[in-house]
Amino acid sequence: MTDTASIKKQESTRTKPLVEIQGVHKLFGSHHVLKGIDMTVKQGEVSVIIGPSGSGKSTLLRCINLLETISAGRIYVHDDLIGYREVNGKLHDLTTKQIAAQRREIGMVFQRFNLFPHKTALQNVIEAPTQVKRQSKAAAKLKATELLEMVGLGDRADFYPSQLSGGQQQRVAIARALAMEPELMLFDEPTSALDPELVGDVLEVMKDLAKSGMTMIVVTHEIGFAREVGDTLTFMDAGVVVESGNPREIIANPQHHRTQEFLSRVL
Amino acid sequence: MSRLLSRRTAHSGGAGLELIDAVPVRHPWRWVGAVVILLILVLVVQSMTTNPKFYWGTFRTYLFDVLVIQGVGWTLILTVTSMIIAIVLAILLAFMRQSDNPLFRYVSWVWVWFFRGTPVYTQLLFWGSVGALYPKIIVGVPFGPELFSWDTATVINATVAAIVGLGLNESAYLAEIFRAGLKSVDNGQMEAAEALGMRRSKVMWRIILPQAMRVIIPPTGNETIGMLKTTSLVLAVPFTLDLTFVTNALASRTFLPIPLLMVAAFWYLGITSVLMVGQYYIERHYGKGVDNVTKAPVQATAAAAAAHAKPVDPADGTTEGGRP
């Protein structure tokens, strides 16, 4: 771990958690997807969420940056209540402008990359800084070039997404999210759509990011990544947190039978 | 045999590789079909050139007649301006239709319902009679003083009536084309842009619409070429300077309708051809990154990927652990 990262981590110990999820429920019609999730993520922490498909882990992640609205509970990021304004115990919807402002602090990486296909790698990365933060094109390009180099794609700046491999596209997507200088990065199964030989490069970039002190919530099936990089591991099944704690301990010695069952299938 | 082999290896760059030189499937009926079509074509051309009732001399006289050229100009002006109005309105209507605001959605729906549901000829007649219905346009306080007023006939003259009539009618059809285009863009694009903190209007304008254009351009080109011919209905206004009206007037003056129909057809066909060339370039522009991905960078990617390939660190258990 680098010096700056350890300083960041020390700082974080005295402050409140960066992300606080309190009793969150999510219903899609009559389908109860999240059933009372509690979770905290401290500044600089890498929180890994695993679980079978349909367990609600992606939905939880999408609730944090308001791609889904929650049905009950509270989510706080940096003491900001996500999606609502609380006045005298009554919640009021935020305006689209306020929601956009909250999202700026949270970067998201998708399973299917979702790069803008009509823009080059560089244009993808500078889009939000120039359009949302109103940075000058020159400054944004400088920063974007740095970020693309950081993810190992300095020589791919002028390529369109269709000219890049899946792994390269996902690394551009990470650079694009980082360009907004978020406090928190959400990864929604970032390697699930990749060919096996391309997974390593993306995980490498995520590992570097974790070392730099970025707060990350990662939904993944990469147990190795959870063990090596994760500070906490949460196992979700059927909309509830079944088990949560130190990744190495849980993977080596899962307490709950559902965790044991899941791990025995993926390991 | 050995001679044949050596010749082929020479062709393949001398790598000792024997390239497949298969005999292609023959298609004799294609040749027969081509000959038949050519024959019909020759007959048609021959009959048209030798039939004196086509009056090709009159055709040549009027092809570049000043009135005809002006008619071509007016037809182009009507087509281009009404299409510009229609496209601007259609973008607005399509965005409104996808809006969270129910008022916008409803207004957009009613607009399309009305302008698509009534004949364009009727609408043109209406715009031509606005002056008779409302002789003056007055801006002022209701039941109070009058601030400005204009004669309707000077504000909505025949040209304006024709352009507005055509443009508003077309906007309804184009709105549906634009809506289909916007819907064709993957939902992940909206999510990714919103996750970056972009406002919805900005996402629509900068991310969704440019991608939708790939789907929107071909039917819009279709509509533009349709509009070129629809401009001939402006006699309903009445607007009397467009190509069809002018050639019809000349035809009744000369008592020779056929050659003047040919003149009009020649120009419509010519303009359509130019529009099709324009459409090709617009399609190419909006296809960038998707349709016209050049081969060279892909090869470069492969080469660079090979150069970049990092040896796997044996101590790095991440990938092995994740994918046993």
Side-chain angles (χ1 to χ4, degrees):
Chain A
M1 189 178 291
T2 60
D3 288 345
T4 50
S6 55
I7 289 166
K8 261 195 171 176
K9 290 218 167 180
Q10 277 163 17
E11 271 176 2
S12 67
T13 51
R14 59 177 170 78
T15 51
K16 284 184 73 178
L18 181 68
V19 183
E20 271 194 275
I21 298 168
Q22 304 171 346
V24 163
H25 287 256
K26 174 67 186 173
L27 291 123
F28 287 109
S30 61
H31 187 40
H32 206 158
V33 182
L34 298 177
K35 300 169 184 165
I37 304 288
D38 293 296
M39 196 174 156
T40 56
V41 182
K42 287 200 275 269
Q43 186 116 40
E45 201 173 59
V46 177
S47 177
V48 180
I49 305 175
I50 58 168
S53 52
S55 59
K57 53 197 194 310
S58 282
T59 306
L60 178 65
L61 206 64
R62 292 164 59 82
C63 287
I64 296 173
N65 76 345
L66 282 164
L67 289 178
E68 307 286 354
T69 52
I70 55 178
S71 310
R74 300 279 191 276
I75 298 176
Y76 294 92
V77 175
H78 223 162
D79 280 341
D80 272 344
L81 179 58
I82 291 295
Y84 302 96
R85 201 157 43 84
E86 197 161 6
V87 183
N88 301 328
K90 180 81 189 150
L91 292 187
H92 297 249
D93 284 332
L94 291 184
T95 64
T96 51
K97 197 176 176 179
Q98 290 165 326
I99 289 172
Q102 285 189 336
R103 282 177 172 146
R104 265 165 237 169
E105 306 296 320
I106 305 168
M108 177 128 182
V109 175
F110 298 87
Q111 183 178 352
R112 310 256 355 137
F113 331 134
N114 293 345
L115 287 182
F116 308 134
H118 60 304
K119 292 179 182 292
T120 63
L122 187 79
Q123 287 168 343
N124 264 276
V125 179
I126 66 168
E127 177 68 16
T130 53
Q131 291 299 317
V132 179
K133 282 193 164 175
R134 299 255 160 234
Q135 281 178 12
S136 75
K137 222 171 185 173
K141 269 187 185 169
L142 207 67
K143 169 93 180 159
T145 310
E146 253 174 54
L147 285 168
L148 285 173
E149 257 156 35
M150 195 192 93
V151 300
L153 294 170
D155 54 344
R156 290 287 168 280
D158 297 325
F159 284 50
Y160 286 101
S162 57
Q163 296 168 321
L164 299 172
S165 74
Q168 290 172 332
Q169 287 188 54
Q170 193 60 297
R171 284 183 279 154
V172 173
I174 293 171
R176 178 176 70 173
L178 289 175
M180 287 298 282
E181 297 173 327
E183 288 184 287
L184 169 68
M185 285 284 286
L186 308 175
F187 292 85
D188 187 7
E189 303 199 23
T191 57
S192 296
L194 296 178
D195 289 339
E197 79 268 23
L198 302 176
V199 169
D201 286 342
V202 172
L203 291 181
E204 207 60 47
V205 167
M206 290 169 63
K207 230 184 283 179
D208 289 345
L209 196 58
K211 279 181 197 157
S212 76
M214 175 63 77
T215 314
M216 296 161 60
I217 304 179
V218 185
V219 168
T220 187
H221 294 291
E222 299 291 338
I223 304 299
F225 177 84
R227 181 170 31 203
E228 197 189 347
V229 187
D231 294 308
T232 59
L233 179 68
T234 303
F235 173 69
M236 280 178 69
D237 191 14
V240 295
V241 172
V242 174
E243 199 167 335
S244 173
N246 181 302
R248 286 154 290 278
E249 283 170 19
I250 290 181
I251 293 164
N253 188 19
Q255 296 303 307
H256 201 283
H257 75 274
R258 278 195 279 179
T259 320
Q260 292 163 3
E261 207 179 295
F262 176 77
L263 286 173
S264 72
R265 264 184 287 133
V266 295
L267 278 175
Chain B
M1 184 60 202
S2 67
R3 182 173 295 177
L4 191 66
L5 243 176
S6 66
R7 186 168 58 81
R8 278 193 203 154
T9 47
H11 269 282
S12 66
L17 190 67
E18 191 181 352
L19 297 181
I20 292 173
D21 185 18
V23 178
V25 175
R26 304 293 179 199
H27 296 285
W29 285 105
R30 288 183 190 173
W31 289 101
V32 174
V35 167
V36 169
I37 289 166
L38 209 66
L39 213 67
I40 293 170
L41 214 63
V42 167
L43 283 173
V44 168
V45 170
Q46 194 231 10
S47 82
M48 282 177 77
T49 46
T50 55
N51 187 341
K53 285 172 188 158
F54 275 103
Y55 295 100
W56 291 111
T58 314
F59 172 83
R60 275 191 294 274
T61 313
Y62 284 102
L63 190 58
F64 296 104
D65 187 274
V66 181
L67 285 171
V68 170
I69 298 298
Q70 280 175 346
V72 170
W74 275 108
T75 291
L76 272 175
I77 288 171
L78 292 180
T79 306
V80 170
T81 47
S82 61
M83 280 309 287
I84 288 171
I85 290 173
I87 287 170
V88 171
L89 284 172
I91 293 172
L92 204 68
L93 289 164
F95 282 3
M96 283 167 74
R97 193 68 189 275
Q98 302 226 322
S99 164
D100 290 332
N101 184 334
L103 191 66
F104 283 170
R105 286 201 302 271
Y106 188 67
V107 167
S108 170
W109 187 90
V110 169
W111 180 286
V112 171
W113 169 76
F114 181 79
F115 283 100
R116 205 171 55 168
T118 52
V120 63
Y121 194 80
T122 312
Q123 288 174 31
L124 286 168
L125 274 174
F126 170 82
W127 288 108
S129 350
V130 164
L133 290 165
Y134 301 98
K136 272 183 178 299
I137 299 172
I138 298 165
V139 175
V141 183
F143 308 109
E146 178 178 304
L147 300 176
F148 305 100
S149 81
W150 299 274
D151 275 338
T152 307
T154 56
V155 179
I156 304 181
N157 56 30
T159 313
V160 173
I163 289 168
V164 169
L166 292 171
L168 296 196
N169 178 261
E170 183 60 33
S171 73
Y173 290 95
L174 277 184
E176 288 293 283
I177 290 172
F178 275 68
R179 187 165 71 92
L182 295 181
K183 283 183 110 167
S184 75
V185 178
D186 179 42
N187 202 31
Q189 293 290 310
M190 175 67 90
E191 290 191 346
E194 286 195 329
L196 286 166
M198 290 172 79
R199 300 279 301 278
R200 208 184 171 98
S201 52
K202 195 151 245 175
V203 179
M204 291 302 268
W205 194 250
R206 291 193 52 91
I207 305 299
I208 309 294
L209 187 61
Q211 294 181 54
M213 288 308 269
R214 274 183 66 243
V215 177
I216 290 169
I217 295 294
T220 301
N222 213 17
E223 290 291 310
T224 309
I225 288 165
M227 176 62 87
L228 181 69
K229 270 62 75 64
T230 308
T231 56
S232 61
L233 294 180
V234 291
L235 83 143
V237 169
F239 181 91
T240 56
L241 298 168
D242 76 290
L243 182 57
T244 293
F245 195 95
V246 167
T247 50
N248 277 344
L250 288 171
S252 38
R253 204 161 77 193
T254 56
F255 301 108
L256 293 171
I258 298 293
L260 281 144
L261 281 176
M262 291 292 168
V263 168
F266 173 90
W267 281 111
Y268 282 124
L269 201 57
I271 297 169
T272 301
S273 313
V274 173
L275 289 175
M276 285 169 74
V277 173
Q279 184 180 335
Y280 168 78
Y281 284 102
I282 296 173
E283 271 182 38
R284 206 171 64 164
H285 172 76
Y286 284 107
K288 74 182 173 195
V290 182
D291 291 332
N292 51 346
V293 175
T294 43
K295 291 249 163 55
V298 175
Q299 284 163 357
T301 312
H308 257 253
K310 284 185 283 186
V312 178
D313 183 1
D316 174 6
T318 309
T319 46
E320 290 91 328
R323 300 216 173 228

